Structures are given as C-alpha cells and as structure tokens.
Amino acid sequence: MLLHGHVLIRTEYSAISPGTEMILVRQASDRLVTLGYNAVGIVEQVGEGIQHIQVGQRVACYGAPYVHHAEWLAVPANLVTVVPDHVDPQEAAFAGLGAIAIHALRVAQLQFGESVVIVGLGILGNIITQIAQTVAYRTIGLDLREDRVAMLQERGFSHMYHSQAEMEEGLADAAGRYGVDAVLHCASGSGEQLINSSLKWIRDRGKIVIVGDLTAEFSRELMFGKEAQVLISRAGGPGRYDPQYERENKDYPIGHVRWTEGRNVEEYIRLLADGRISIKNLITNLYSIDDAEEAYMNYRTPTETIATVIKY
C-alpha cells in the first residue's frame, strides 16, 4: 500500500554515482547492499495529500533508501520533481548528483563576481563547474586526467587545468590578485596535500568545501594564517536524513528553509530544461538492468568511464 505523500514510479533510467556507490561496493565484502539514489521514470500512482504531481508525468527523484536501482520505486513527493517533455530523461536521471552539486555551491556561500576552484572533474565536479560558470562565478577547474579537462575546454571553459603548477600560475588571471573565494574538493583519498595547497590558493577568510570522500587533514598554521573555513557539504541539501522531511513528506516552510534537497532537485531539472547545463557528453555507458554487474566492473579499475546510465 502506498504511503501518504508518496509516489509510485515505474523507472525508465537510473544513474550510477561512482564515488558513493563504489565505496559501498568495496566496503560490502559478502554483504548485500542496496545501491543507487538517482532515477527518472513515469508516475503510476499518487498517494494521498499530493497535488502537484499527476499520474502519467515523467519525474526525476533522489534519495536512498527510497530511490535505488530498481524497476519500481515508492518515493516521498518531497524528493520528486516533474521533468518537462523536452528534457532528455537520461540527463534527468542524474537528479541526485545535480542536487549535490548545487548544495555544494550553496555551502560555499559564493556571491556574484566571486571565484571558485573545483578540484576533481568527474561527473560531480563537471556538473558543479557548469553550474558555477552559469551563475557567473569566476570558475577554475583542476583534474589530473587530461580527457576530463579537455571536455570542459572544448565547451569554452577557459580556466581548466590538468597540472596543479599550471593552475597556480594562472590563478591570479582567473580569480584576481587576492586569491580565490572558495575551493570545492570533489576528489577522494588523502586530503592533506590538496587542502594545504588550497589554503594557499584562497583569499583571506576564504572557504574550503569538502564534497568528495576526502580526509580532513591540513595544516593548522596555514588555516590560522588565513582564518579559513573548512566545511563539509552533506548530500543534496536540508532535509536529507530527516525522516519527517523524507519518509513523512513534511516539507520545510520556504520562508525558513529556502533550498531543501527537493528544491535543489527542481533547480537541476530547470537548468537542464533551460539549456544552461548539459551532461549528454558525459554519459559514456548505457546498460540494461540485466547487465548492471558489467557497469560496476568498469569502475573497479582506472577507466575512461565518467557517467553510466541503467535502462529498464
């Protein structure tokens, strides 16, 4: 029986989030784990108390344990947003990563004219970079993989680098003489070297936001010298992990919480619908649900795979 405030969705596509999901795969050993948190599909049934979603509409949805890789999903309406007909459903399937990208920029609290360095230009870092450029932040990207850097350069992103030394050399030209306002880390692994470098890139009282699975190790002396803020961006926004917001579908009043995780999902779809961002060229693999194991095998070793969609 469908819970009050929930929507029953017949899945068309779900998207793999390689960072989070491969961590779960590695940690699982012989345990069964449920993977996934991004999907798009058609509404087949609407629970009581929902007015803004109708049967037959295509919707994007985000948030484990309600959203995962499955043919049918029962999702709280707070985590669901309608997808316009002209939006590619495969792109819409990355709604969760889109919300995470948007929330990461909100945590940095950047204002018009300010600058940001995005470290790690995989699927999440690429989306953040596109959104940052769209809202006119001075945007700089860094990734050791030349192909990821080239993808953004080919789209007109001029300050993208695959060498830290080259990025540092061009930083004043890209961000101004005072240093960058924020650095967003979408990379994984040991954070000591990266965060210490970031503390040299930022301006006085600048911010460092950890978005990926990066350890929070850094020099107190460097942090003290800038009175820097080191922050962590948690998932897609306010409401995440709150059972009243999610399971019970009790939204936060917009006057008190402007940007919830659900409203961030809406913004991601709006950016796609308006043509302000695109991830079509990031989708390197499409698999049937029957071949999902092969999709995950691609991420076990260094690969050219960036974004993977599962079809139902």
Side-chain angles (χ1 to χ4, degrees):
M1 183 177 176
L2 197 60
L3 293 176
H4 183 278
H6 286 223
V7 177
L8 182 65
I9 300 167
R10 173 174 50 82
T11 311
E12 294 178 296
Y13 300 98
S14 61
I16 292 177
S17 174
T20 302
E21 293 187 49
M22 290 312 296
I23 290 171
L24 290 173
V25 168
R26 287 191 291 269
Q27 292 176 345
S29 185
D30 294 329
R31 293 184 298 108
L32 291 175
V33 293
T34 301
L35 299 173
Y37 57 75
N38 305 265
V40 66
I42 305 300
V43 175
E44 297 290 342
Q45 186 179 343
V46 174
E48 293 181 7
I50 301 174
Q51 306 296 327
H52 65 291
I53 298 171
Q54 308 297 323
V55 170
Q57 289 181 312
R58 173 174 287 125
V59 294
C61 52
Y62 158 57
Y66 311 100
V67 181
H68 47 273
H69 301 301
E71 293 178 304
W72 292 89
L73 301 169
V75 185
N78 279 342
L79 306 180
V80 175
T81 192
V82 175
V83 177
D85 291 340
H86 69 279
V87 172
D88 186 333
Q90 290 188 29
E91 291 190 283
F94 289 88
L97 280 168
I100 291 168
I102 291 168
H103 181 60
L105 286 166
R106 297 200 195 285
V107 170
Q109 294 184 322
L110 293 165
Q111 299 184 54
F112 176 76
E114 293 190 332
S115 56
V116 59
V117 172
I118 297 100
V119 180
L121 300 176
I123 177 67
L124 180 57
N126 188 296
I127 295 172
I128 292 174
T129 301
Q130 290 191 58
I131 296 171
Q133 184 99 326
T134 293
V135 295
Y137 300 146
R138 301 183 184 194
T139 307
I140 303 103
L142 175 64
D143 196 298
L144 298 180
R145 282 183 49 170
E146 293 187 38
D147 58 330
R148 293 180 176 180
V149 172
M151 291 179 76
L152 287 161
Q153 289 174 333
E154 289 166 4
R155 294 193 56 193
F157 291 75
S158 54
H159 297 292
M160 299 291 119
Y161 303 91
H162 60 80
S163 160
Q164 181 174 327
E166 289 182 11
M167 190 274 288
E168 291 173 344
E169 189 176 319
L171 202 56
D173 178 58
R177 66 184 184 276
Y178 300 111
V180 296
D181 295 286
V183 179
L184 271 60
H185 283 288
C186 301
S188 299
S190 174
E192 187 170 11
Q193 185 273 326
L194 275 176
I195 296 177
N196 285 343
S197 294
S198 304
L199 288 165
K200 298 174 184 177
W201 304 339
I202 60 173
R203 63 165 171 81
D204 186 57
R205 293 172 174 81
K207 298 185 183 72
I208 293 169
V209 181
I210 299 172
V211 188
D213 186 30
L214 197 71
T215 60
E217 300 168 305
F218 49 86
S219 163
R220 183 188 182 279
E221 182 180 356
L222 289 172
M223 184 180 183
F224 181 87
K226 294 284 180 70
E227 198 173 336
Q229 295 182 54
V230 178
L231 308 165
I232 287 183
S233 175
R234 188 178 73 168
R240 190 72 185 111
Y241 310 114
D242 178 353
Q244 289 190 327
Y245 176 87
E246 293 185 330
R247 180 177 172 81
E248 297 176 26
N249 201 53
K250 295 179 179 177
D251 201 359
Y252 300 146
I254 196 166
H256 294 274
V257 183
R258 178 63 183 91
W259 295 111
T260 61
E261 59 176 330
R263 292 193 264 272
N264 283 336
V265 170
E266 289 181 17
E267 280 302 290
Y268 170 72
I269 298 301
R270 183 182 70 86
L271 290 170
L272 288 176
D274 290 351
R276 296 182 181 276
I277 65 171
S278 174
I279 61 168
K280 288 182 181 179
N281 64 338
L282 299 178
I283 300 173
T284 48
N285 299 88
L286 174 64
Y287 287 93
S288 161
I289 184 60
D290 296 329
D291 299 319
E293 183 178 357
E294 184 179 347
Y296 283 94
M297 292 300 293
N298 285 338
Y299 289 105
R300 286 188 174 273
T301 56
T303 174
E304 294 183 358
T305 300
I306 297 179
T308 300
V309 174
I310 295 175
K311 182 178 180 179
Y312 297 80

